[in-house]
Amino acid sequence: MSKGLQTKARIVDVAADLIQTSGYHAMGINQITAHGKIPKGSLYFHFPGGKEAIALAAIEQGGQTVQSILCEARQGADTTEAFISAVVEAFCALLTNTGFQKGCPVSSITLEMAPGSDPITAACKDVFDRWHHEIEEALVQLKCSHPNKPALATLLLSAIEGSLIICRAQKNTRSLEETKDLLLPLCATN
């Protein structure tokens, strides 16, 4: 990777961390340059659209991170129950490994900025739509017996997202684990 691409990736990494831990409004250009030890000129070179453009890149990166978790869980599972368990285990690990500073990479900016910024709202919607599609595909591929897989995918995504927020507030993974236990019977494989 070229030095320019490394710098651009570093900007997005720092912004994503700041958004998750402090929120969009606390993620300023000065904070990004200070935390990432990045010259301001490099930031504007790679992101002439400024703060919002950086946030959009961070949303996309966060979307890809969770997409990878979902894909890996689906590829490693032979039942829908195993898929859900793997997803929850991955998020539990993320929470504990970051001292409960990070959960969903997109939820905080969604709560803070949607619907105030049309570009950010559209980017968050796109990410959530992709995650929903990935979950629904897993339910179909793994032969979930539930008759309404689109609605079940919405329930799974919503329940896990909500549990991630509760886990961060409580600084434990109990909510995710309890949610998993309640969801597993709904996701039985044929």
Side-chain angles (χ1 to χ4, degrees), residues 13-78:
D13 287 344
V14 170
D17 283 346
L18 288 169
I19 289 170
Q20 278 200 46
T21 58
S22 305
Y24 176 80
H25 290 298
M27 178 211 64
I29 300 301
N30 291 333
Q31 288 76 17
I32 294 170
T33 57
H35 281 75
K37 297 177 178 44
I38 301 164
K40 222 178 241 189
S42 294
L43 192 139
Y44 286 112
F45 174 79
H46 291 291
F47 293 97
K51 180 177 176 173
E52 189 172 65
I54 296 167
L56 292 171
I59 292 166
E60 181 57 32
Q61 177 180 291
Q64 290 297 325
T65 298
V66 174
Q67 188 83 23
S68 295
I69 289 170
L70 296 171
C71 287
E72 288 175 24
R74 179 166 59 141
Q75 290 169 356
D78 55 357

Short mmCIF file of all heavy atoms in Angstrom, two decimals, residues 13-78:
data_model
loop_
_atom_site.label_atom_id
_atom_site.label_comp_id
_atom_site.label_asym_id
_atom_site.label_seq_id
_atom_site.Cartn_x
_atom_site.Cartn_y
_atom_site.Cartn_z
N ASP A 13 -9.38 5.25 10.08
CA ASP A 13 -9.30 4.47 11.33
C ASP A 13 -9.47 5.38 12.55
O ASP A 13 -10.22 5.05 13.47
CB ASP A 13 -7.95 3.75 11.44
CG ASP A 13 -7.82 2.57 10.50
OD1 ASP A 13 -8.85 2.09 9.97
OD2 ASP A 13 -6.67 2.13 10.29
N VAL A 14 -8.76 6.49 12.56
CA VAL A 14 -8.84 7.41 13.69
C VAL A 14 -10.25 7.98 13.80
O VAL A 14 -10.82 8.05 14.90
CB VAL A 14 -7.78 8.53 13.56
CG1 VAL A 14 -8.00 9.63 14.60
CG2 VAL A 14 -6.38 7.96 13.69
N ALA A 15 -10.82 8.38 12.68
CA ALA A 15 -12.18 8.94 12.69
C ALA A 15 -13.18 7.91 13.19
O ALA A 15 -14.06 8.23 14.00
CB ALA A 15 -12.55 9.42 11.29
N ALA A 16 -13.06 6.68 12.73
CA ALA A 16 -13.98 5.62 13.17
C ALA A 16 -13.88 5.41 14.67
O ALA A 16 -14.90 5.26 15.36
CB ALA A 16 -13.69 4.33 12.41
N ASP A 17 -12.66 5.40 15.19
CA ASP A 17 -12.47 5.26 16.64
C ASP A 17 -13.10 6.42 17.40
O ASP A 17 -13.79 6.23 18.40
CB ASP A 17 -10.98 5.18 16.99
CG ASP A 17 -10.37 3.82 16.71
OD1 ASP A 17 -11.13 2.85 16.50
OD2 ASP A 17 -9.13 3.73 16.71
N LEU A 18 -12.86 7.64 16.92
CA LEU A 18 -13.42 8.81 17.59
C LEU A 18 -14.94 8.82 17.55
O LEU A 18 -15.59 9.17 18.54
CB LEU A 18 -12.86 10.09 16.97
CG LEU A 18 -11.40 10.39 17.27
CD1 LEU A 18 -10.89 11.54 16.39
CD2 LEU A 18 -11.21 10.73 18.75
N ILE A 19 -15.51 8.44 16.41
CA ILE A 19 -16.97 8.40 16.30
C ILE A 19 -17.54 7.39 17.29
O ILE A 19 -18.52 7.67 17.98
CB ILE A 19 -17.41 8.08 14.86
CG1 ILE A 19 -17.13 9.27 13.93
CG2 ILE A 19 -18.90 7.71 14.81
CD1 ILE A 19 -17.30 8.98 12.46
N GLN A 20 -16.94 6.21 17.36
CA GLN A 20 -17.46 5.18 18.25
C GLN A 20 -17.31 5.54 19.71
O GLN A 20 -18.18 5.25 20.52
CB GLN A 20 -16.76 3.84 18.00
CG GLN A 20 -17.34 3.11 16.82
CD GLN A 20 -16.99 1.64 16.87
OE1 GLN A 20 -17.10 0.99 17.91
NE2 GLN A 20 -16.56 1.11 15.75
N THR A 21 -16.21 6.17 20.07
CA THR A 21 -15.97 6.44 21.49
C THR A 21 -16.51 7.79 21.95
O THR A 21 -16.88 7.92 23.11
CB THR A 21 -14.46 6.37 21.81
OG1 THR A 21 -13.76 7.31 21.00
CG2 THR A 21 -13.92 4.97 21.56
N SER A 22 -16.58 8.76 21.04
CA SER A 22 -16.96 10.12 21.46
C SER A 22 -18.13 10.71 20.68
O SER A 22 -18.69 11.71 21.09
CB SER A 22 -15.77 11.06 21.33
OG SER A 22 -14.67 10.56 22.05
N GLY A 23 -18.43 10.16 19.52
CA GLY A 23 -19.52 10.68 18.70
C GLY A 23 -19.02 11.57 17.57
O GLY A 23 -17.88 12.02 17.55
N TYR A 24 -19.92 11.81 16.63
CA TYR A 24 -19.59 12.60 15.44
C TYR A 24 -19.20 14.03 15.81
O TYR A 24 -18.22 14.56 15.29
CB TYR A 24 -20.79 12.61 14.48
CG TYR A 24 -20.59 13.47 13.27
CD1 TYR A 24 -19.84 13.00 12.19
CD2 TYR A 24 -21.14 14.74 13.18
CE1 TYR A 24 -19.65 13.79 11.06
CE2 TYR A 24 -20.96 15.53 12.05
CZ TYR A 24 -20.21 15.05 11.00
OH TYR A 24 -20.02 15.83 9.89
N HIS A 25 -19.97 14.66 16.68
CA HIS A 25 -19.70 16.07 16.99
C HIS A 25 -18.37 16.25 17.71
O HIS A 25 -17.75 17.31 17.60
CB HIS A 25 -20.86 16.66 17.79
CG HIS A 25 -22.10 16.83 16.96
ND1 HIS A 25 -22.17 17.64 15.85
CD2 HIS A 25 -23.32 16.25 17.07
CE1 HIS A 25 -23.36 17.58 15.32
NE2 HIS A 25 -24.08 16.73 16.03
N ALA A 26 -17.92 15.24 18.42
CA ALA A 26 -16.63 15.33 19.10
C ALA A 26 -15.47 14.97 18.17
O ALA A 26 -14.31 15.21 18.51
CB ALA A 26 -16.61 14.41 20.31
N MET A 27 -15.78 14.42 17.01
CA MET A 27 -14.75 14.08 16.04
C MET A 27 -14.50 15.29 15.14
O MET A 27 -15.19 15.50 14.17
CB MET A 27 -15.18 12.88 15.17
CG MET A 27 -14.15 12.53 14.12
SD MET A 27 -14.80 11.83 12.57
CE MET A 27 -15.77 13.13 11.88
N GLY A 28 -13.55 16.10 15.52
CA GLY A 28 -13.21 17.26 14.71
C GLY A 28 -11.92 17.03 13.94
O GLY A 28 -11.18 16.07 14.19
N ILE A 29 -11.67 17.90 13.02
CA ILE A 29 -10.44 17.83 12.22
C ILE A 29 -9.22 17.86 13.13
O ILE A 29 -8.27 17.09 12.95
CB ILE A 29 -10.41 18.98 11.18
CG1 ILE A 29 -11.62 18.90 10.23
CG2 ILE A 29 -9.09 18.98 10.43
CD1 ILE A 29 -11.76 17.63 9.44
N ASN A 30 -9.23 18.74 14.12
CA ASN A 30 -8.09 18.84 15.04
C ASN A 30 -7.90 17.56 15.84
O ASN A 30 -6.77 17.14 16.09
CB ASN A 30 -8.25 20.04 15.98
CG ASN A 30 -8.13 21.35 15.26
OD1 ASN A 30 -7.47 21.45 14.22
ND2 ASN A 30 -8.79 22.38 15.77
N GLN A 31 -9.00 16.92 16.25
CA GLN A 31 -8.90 15.67 17.00
C GLN A 31 -8.32 14.56 16.12
O GLN A 31 -7.50 13.76 16.57
CB GLN A 31 -10.27 15.25 17.56
CG GLN A 31 -10.76 16.08 18.71
CD GLN A 31 -11.30 17.45 18.26
OE1 GLN A 31 -11.59 17.68 17.09
NE2 GLN A 31 -11.40 18.36 19.21
N ILE A 32 -8.75 14.50 14.88
CA ILE A 32 -8.25 13.47 13.96
C ILE A 32 -6.76 13.66 13.74
O ILE A 32 -5.98 12.70 13.82
CB ILE A 32 -9.00 13.50 12.61
CG1 ILE A 32 -10.47 13.11 12.82
CG2 ILE A 32 -8.34 12.55 11.60
CD1 ILE A 32 -11.34 13.35 11.60
N THR A 33 -6.34 14.89 13.46
CA THR A 33 -4.92 15.12 13.19
C THR A 33 -4.08 14.86 14.44
O THR A 33 -2.99 14.30 14.34
CB THR A 33 -4.67 16.55 12.65
OG1 THR A 33 -5.18 17.51 13.58
CG2 THR A 33 -5.32 16.74 11.30
N ALA A 34 -4.59 15.24 15.61
CA ALA A 34 -3.83 15.02 16.85
C ALA A 34 -3.75 13.54 17.20
O ALA A 34 -2.66 13.02 17.49
CB ALA A 34 -4.47 15.80 18.00
N HIS A 35 -4.88 12.85 17.19
CA HIS A 35 -4.89 11.43 17.55
C HIS A 35 -4.11 10.57 16.54
O HIS A 35 -3.48 9.60 16.93
CB HIS A 35 -6.32 10.90 17.66
CG HIS A 35 -6.99 11.25 18.94
ND1 HIS A 35 -7.47 12.51 19.20
CD2 HIS A 35 -7.26 10.51 20.03
CE1 HIS A 35 -8.02 12.55 20.40
NE2 HIS A 35 -7.90 11.34 20.94
N GLY A 36 -4.21 10.94 15.29
CA GLY A 36 -3.55 10.14 14.25
C GLY A 36 -2.16 10.63 13.88
O GLY A 36 -1.48 10.02 13.07
N LYS A 37 -1.75 11.77 14.49
CA LYS A 37 -0.46 12.37 14.16
C LYS A 37 -0.35 12.55 12.64
O LYS A 37 0.63 12.13 12.00
CB LYS A 37 0.69 11.55 14.72
CG LYS A 37 0.68 11.48 16.24
CD LYS A 37 1.79 10.61 16.77
CE LYS A 37 1.86 10.53 18.26
NZ LYS A 37 0.69 10.36 19.05
N ILE A 38 -1.39 13.17 12.09
CA ILE A 38 -1.53 13.35 10.65
C ILE A 38 -1.52 14.85 10.35
O ILE A 38 -2.25 15.61 11.00
CB ILE A 38 -2.86 12.73 10.16
CG1 ILE A 38 -2.90 11.23 10.49
CG2 ILE A 38 -3.06 12.95 8.67
CD1 ILE A 38 -4.28 10.63 10.42
N PRO A 39 -0.73 15.28 9.38
CA PRO A 39 -0.76 16.70 9.02
C PRO A 39 -2.14 17.11 8.47
O PRO A 39 -2.78 16.33 7.75
CB PRO A 39 0.30 16.83 7.93
CG PRO A 39 1.10 15.57 7.98
CD PRO A 39 0.24 14.53 8.61
N LYS A 40 -2.57 18.30 8.83
CA LYS A 40 -3.88 18.78 8.39
C LYS A 40 -3.99 18.80 6.86
O LYS A 40 -5.04 18.49 6.30
CB LYS A 40 -4.14 20.17 8.95
CG LYS A 40 -5.53 20.37 9.46
CD LYS A 40 -5.71 21.76 10.05
CE LYS A 40 -6.07 21.59 11.51
NZ LYS A 40 -6.47 22.85 12.13
N GLY A 41 -2.90 19.14 6.21
CA GLY A 41 -2.91 19.19 4.74
C GLY A 41 -3.21 17.83 4.13
O GLY A 41 -3.92 17.72 3.12
N SER A 42 -2.70 16.76 4.74
CA SER A 42 -2.97 15.40 4.25
C SER A 42 -4.44 15.07 4.39
O SER A 42 -5.04 14.43 3.52
CB SER A 42 -2.16 14.37 5.04
OG SER A 42 -0.79 14.53 4.79
N LEU A 43 -5.03 15.51 5.49
CA LEU A 43 -6.44 15.24 5.73
C LEU A 43 -7.29 15.89 4.63
O LEU A 43 -8.16 15.24 4.05
CB LEU A 43 -6.82 15.78 7.11
CG LEU A 43 -8.16 15.32 7.61
CD1 LEU A 43 -8.07 14.98 9.08
CD2 LEU A 43 -9.18 16.40 7.39
N TYR A 44 -7.04 17.15 4.34
CA TYR A 44 -7.82 17.83 3.31
C TYR A 44 -7.49 17.34 1.90
O TYR A 44 -8.33 17.39 1.02
CB TYR A 44 -7.65 19.35 3.42
CG TYR A 44 -8.39 19.93 4.59
CD1 TYR A 44 -7.72 20.46 5.67
CD2 TYR A 44 -9.79 19.91 4.62
CE1 TYR A 44 -8.41 20.98 6.76
CE2 TYR A 44 -10.49 20.42 5.70
CZ TYR A 44 -9.79 20.96 6.76
OH TYR A 44 -10.48 21.46 7.82
N PHE A 45 -6.26 16.86 1.71
CA PHE A 45 -5.90 16.29 0.41
C PHE A 45 -6.74 15.04 0.13
O PHE A 45 -7.27 14.87 -0.96
CB PHE A 45 -4.40 15.96 0.36
CG PHE A 45 -4.01 15.25 -0.90
CD1 PHE A 45 -3.82 15.94 -2.08
CD2 PHE A 45 -3.82 13.86 -0.91
CE1 PHE A 45 -3.46 15.28 -3.25
CE2 PHE A 45 -3.46 13.20 -2.06
CZ PHE A 45 -3.28 13.91 -3.25
N HIS A 46 -6.82 14.16 1.12
CA HIS A 46 -7.54 12.90 0.93
C HIS A 46 -9.05 13.06 1.07
O HIS A 46 -9.81 12.27 0.50
CB HIS A 46 -7.04 11.85 1.93
CG HIS A 46 -5.64 11.41 1.66
ND1 HIS A 46 -5.31 10.65 0.56
CD2 HIS A 46 -4.49 11.64 2.32
CE1 HIS A 46 -4.02 10.40 0.56
NE2 HIS A 46 -3.49 11.00 1.62
N PHE A 47 -9.48 14.06 1.83
CA PHE A 47 -10.90 14.27 2.07
C PHE A 47 -11.24 15.75 1.90
O PHE A 47 -11.47 16.47 2.87
CB PHE A 47 -11.29 13.79 3.48
CG PHE A 47 -11.17 12.30 3.63
CD1 PHE A 47 -10.04 11.75 4.21
CD2 PHE A 47 -12.17 11.45 3.19
CE1 PHE A 47 -9.90 10.38 4.33
CE2 PHE A 47 -12.05 10.07 3.31
CZ PHE A 47 -10.91 9.53 3.89
N PRO A 48 -11.28 16.21 0.64
CA PRO A 48 -11.59 17.62 0.41
C PRO A 48 -12.99 18.00 0.89
O PRO A 48 -13.26 19.18 1.13
CB PRO A 48 -11.44 17.80 -1.10
CG PRO A 48 -11.41 16.43 -1.68
CD PRO A 48 -11.00 15.49 -0.60
N GLY A 49 -13.85 17.02 1.09
CA GLY A 49 -15.19 17.28 1.61
C GLY A 49 -15.23 17.47 3.11
O GLY A 49 -16.29 17.68 3.69
N GLY A 50 -14.07 17.37 3.76
CA GLY A 50 -13.97 17.64 5.19
C GLY A 50 -14.55 16.55 6.08
O GLY A 50 -14.56 15.36 5.74
N LYS A 51 -15.06 16.99 7.20
CA LYS A 51 -15.50 16.11 8.27
C LYS A 51 -16.58 15.12 7.82
O LYS A 51 -16.51 13.93 8.15
CB LYS A 51 -16.01 16.96 9.43
CG LYS A 51 -16.50 16.20 10.62
CD LYS A 51 -16.92 17.15 11.73
CE LYS A 51 -17.51 16.41 12.90
NZ LYS A 51 -17.77 17.28 14.04
N GLU A 52 -17.56 15.59 7.08
CA GLU A 52 -18.64 14.70 6.64
C GLU A 52 -18.11 13.62 5.71
O GLU A 52 -18.50 12.46 5.81
CB GLU A 52 -19.76 15.49 5.98
CG GLU A 52 -20.99 14.63 5.69
CD GLU A 52 -22.17 15.46 5.23
OE1 GLU A 52 -22.07 16.06 4.13
OE2 GLU A 52 -23.17 15.51 5.96
N ALA A 53 -17.20 13.97 4.82
CA ALA A 53 -16.62 12.98 3.90
C ALA A 53 -15.83 11.92 4.67
O ALA A 53 -15.88 10.73 4.34
CB ALA A 53 -15.72 13.67 2.87
N ILE A 54 -15.13 12.35 5.70
CA ILE A 54 -14.39 11.40 6.54
C ILE A 54 -15.36 10.48 7.27
O ILE A 54 -15.15 9.27 7.35
CB ILE A 54 -13.47 12.16 7.54
CG1 ILE A 54 -12.41 12.96 6.79
CG2 ILE A 54 -12.83 11.18 8.52
CD1 ILE A 54 -11.68 13.97 7.64
N ALA A 55 -16.44 11.06 7.79
CA ALA A 55 -17.45 10.26 8.48
C ALA A 55 -18.07 9.22 7.54
O ALA A 55 -18.29 8.08 7.94
CB ALA A 55 -18.53 11.15 9.08
N LEU A 56 -18.31 9.60 6.32
CA LEU A 56 -18.88 8.65 5.34
C LEU A 56 -17.92 7.49 5.10
O LEU A 56 -18.35 6.33 5.01
CB LEU A 56 -19.21 9.37 4.03
CG LEU A 56 -20.37 10.37 4.11
CD1 LEU A 56 -20.47 11.18 2.83
CD2 LEU A 56 -21.68 9.68 4.44
N ALA A 57 -16.64 7.78 5.02
CA ALA A 57 -15.65 6.71 4.86
C ALA A 57 -15.60 5.82 6.10
O ALA A 57 -15.46 4.60 5.99
CB ALA A 57 -14.27 7.31 4.56
N ALA A 58 -15.73 6.43 7.28
CA ALA A 58 -15.73 5.65 8.53
C ALA A 58 -16.97 4.76 8.61
O ALA A 58 -16.89 3.61 9.08
CB ALA A 58 -15.65 6.58 9.73
N ILE A 59 -18.11 5.26 8.17
CA ILE A 59 -19.34 4.46 8.14
C ILE A 59 -19.15 3.26 7.23
O ILE A 59 -19.50 2.14 7.58
CB ILE A 59 -20.55 5.31 7.70
CG1 ILE A 59 -20.88 6.34 8.78
CG2 ILE A 59 -21.76 4.43 7.39
CD1 ILE A 59 -21.82 7.45 8.30
N GLU A 60 -18.59 3.49 6.06
CA GLU A 60 -18.36 2.39 5.12
C GLU A 60 -17.41 1.36 5.71
O GLU A 60 -17.63 0.16 5.60
CB GLU A 60 -17.82 2.92 3.79
CG GLU A 60 -17.57 1.85 2.75
CD GLU A 60 -18.80 1.01 2.41
OE1 GLU A 60 -19.94 1.52 2.46
OE2 GLU A 60 -18.62 -0.19 2.09
N GLN A 61 -16.35 1.83 6.35
CA GLN A 61 -15.40 0.91 6.98
C GLN A 61 -16.10 0.09 8.07
O GLN A 61 -15.92 -1.12 8.16
CB GLN A 61 -14.23 1.68 7.57
CG GLN A 61 -13.25 0.78 8.31
CD GLN A 61 -12.10 1.57 8.88
OE1 GLN A 61 -11.28 2.07 8.14
NE2 GLN A 61 -12.05 1.67 10.20
N GLY A 62 -16.88 0.75 8.90
CA GLY A 62 -17.62 0.03 9.94
C GLY A 62 -18.59 -0.96 9.36
O GLY A 62 -18.76 -2.07 9.88
N GLY A 63 -19.23 -0.57 8.27
CA GLY A 63 -20.14 -1.49 7.58
C GLY A 63 -19.43 -2.73 7.11
O GLY A 63 -19.94 -3.85 7.26
N GLN A 64 -18.25 -2.55 6.56
CA GLN A 64 -17.47 -3.69 6.07
C GLN A 64 -17.00 -4.58 7.22
O GLN A 64 -16.96 -5.81 7.09
CB GLN A 64 -16.26 -3.21 5.27
CG GLN A 64 -16.62 -2.59 3.94
CD GLN A 64 -17.30 -3.59 3.01
OE1 GLN A 64 -16.99 -4.76 2.99
NE2 GLN A 64 -18.26 -3.09 2.24
N THR A 65 -16.67 -3.97 8.35
CA THR A 65 -16.23 -4.75 9.52
C THR A 65 -17.32 -5.71 9.97
O THR A 65 -17.08 -6.90 10.17
CB THR A 65 -15.83 -3.81 10.67
OG1 THR A 65 -14.73 -3.00 10.23
CG2 THR A 65 -15.45 -4.58 11.92
N VAL A 66 -18.53 -5.19 10.14
CA VAL A 66 -19.64 -6.05 10.58
C VAL A 66 -20.02 -7.02 9.48
O VAL A 66 -20.35 -8.18 9.75
CB VAL A 66 -20.83 -5.21 11.06
CG1 VAL A 66 -22.03 -6.09 11.37
CG2 VAL A 66 -20.44 -4.39 12.28
N GLN A 67 -19.98 -6.59 8.23
CA GLN A 67 -20.26 -7.49 7.10
C GLN A 67 -19.32 -8.70 7.15
O GLN A 67 -19.74 -9.83 6.93
CB GLN A 67 -20.09 -6.74 5.78
CG GLN A 67 -20.53 -7.51 4.56
CD GLN A 67 -22.01 -7.41 4.31
OE1 GLN A 67 -22.65 -6.47 4.75
NE2 GLN A 67 -22.56 -8.37 3.63
N SER A 68 -18.06 -8.45 7.47
CA SER A 68 -17.10 -9.54 7.59
C SER A 68 -17.45 -10.49 8.74
O SER A 68 -17.35 -11.71 8.60
CB SER A 68 -15.68 -9.00 7.81
OG SER A 68 -15.26 -8.29 6.68
N ILE A 69 -17.89 -9.92 9.87
CA ILE A 69 -18.32 -10.76 11.00
C ILE A 69 -19.47 -11.65 10.56
O ILE A 69 -19.48 -12.86 10.83
CB ILE A 69 -18.71 -9.88 12.21
CG1 ILE A 69 -17.48 -9.23 12.84
CG2 ILE A 69 -19.50 -10.70 13.25
CD1 ILE A 69 -17.79 -8.17 13.88
N LEU A 70 -20.45 -11.07 9.88
CA LEU A 70 -21.62 -11.83 9.44
C LEU A 70 -21.24 -12.91 8.41
O LEU A 70 -21.71 -14.05 8.50
CB LEU A 70 -22.68 -10.90 8.87
CG LEU A 70 -23.29 -9.89 9.85
CD1 LEU A 70 -24.17 -8.89 9.11
CD2 LEU A 70 -24.07 -10.59 10.94
N CYS A 71 -20.38 -12.55 7.46
CA CYS A 71 -19.95 -13.52 6.44
C CYS A 71 -19.17 -14.68 7.06
O CYS A 71 -19.41 -15.83 6.72
CB CYS A 71 -19.11 -12.83 5.37
SG CYS A 71 -20.04 -11.79 4.26
N GLU A 72 -18.24 -14.35 7.94
CA GLU A 72 -17.45 -15.41 8.60
C GLU A 72 -18.34 -16.32 9.43
O GLU A 72 -18.16 -17.54 9.45
CB GLU A 72 -16.35 -14.79 9.46
CG GLU A 72 -15.22 -14.19 8.66
CD GLU A 72 -14.21 -13.47 9.53
OE1 GLU A 72 -14.09 -13.78 10.72
OE2 GLU A 72 -13.52 -12.57 8.98
N ALA A 73 -19.30 -15.73 10.13
CA ALA A 73 -20.21 -16.53 10.95
C ALA A 73 -21.05 -17.46 10.06
O ALA A 73 -21.25 -18.63 10.39
CB ALA A 73 -21.13 -15.63 11.78
N ARG A 74 -21.50 -16.94 8.93
CA ARG A 74 -22.32 -17.76 8.02
C ARG A 74 -21.47 -18.88 7.41
O ARG A 74 -21.91 -20.03 7.33
CB ARG A 74 -22.91 -16.89 6.91
CG ARG A 74 -23.74 -17.72 5.92
CD ARG A 74 -24.60 -16.91 5.03
NE ARG A 74 -23.95 -15.95 4.19
CZ ARG A 74 -24.29 -15.69 2.94
NH1 ARG A 74 -25.28 -16.34 2.37
NH2 ARG A 74 -23.66 -14.78 2.25
N GLN A 75 -20.27 -18.59 7.02
CA GLN A 75 -19.41 -19.59 6.39
C GLN A 75 -19.01 -20.68 7.38
O GLN A 75 -18.82 -21.83 6.98
CB GLN A 75 -18.17 -18.94 5.79
CG GLN A 75 -18.49 -18.09 4.58
CD GLN A 75 -17.32 -17.22 4.14
OE1 GLN A 75 -16.27 -17.19 4.77
NE2 GLN A 75 -17.51 -16.50 3.04
N GLY A 76 -18.91 -20.34 8.65
CA GLY A 76 -18.48 -21.31 9.65
C GLY A 76 -19.62 -22.06 10.30
O GLY A 76 -19.39 -22.92 11.15
N ALA A 77 -20.86 -21.76 9.92
CA ALA A 77 -22.02 -22.36 10.59
C ALA A 77 -22.69 -23.40 9.71
O ALA A 77 -22.72 -23.27 8.49
CB ALA A 77 -23.02 -21.27 10.95
N ASP A 78 -23.22 -24.42 10.37
CA ASP A 78 -24.01 -25.41 9.63
C ASP A 78 -25.48 -25.35 10.04
O ASP A 78 -26.31 -26.06 9.49
CB ASP A 78 -23.45 -26.82 9.82
CG ASP A 78 -23.31 -27.22 11.27
OD1 ASP A 78 -23.59 -26.39 12.16
OD2 ASP A 78 -22.92 -28.37 11.52
#
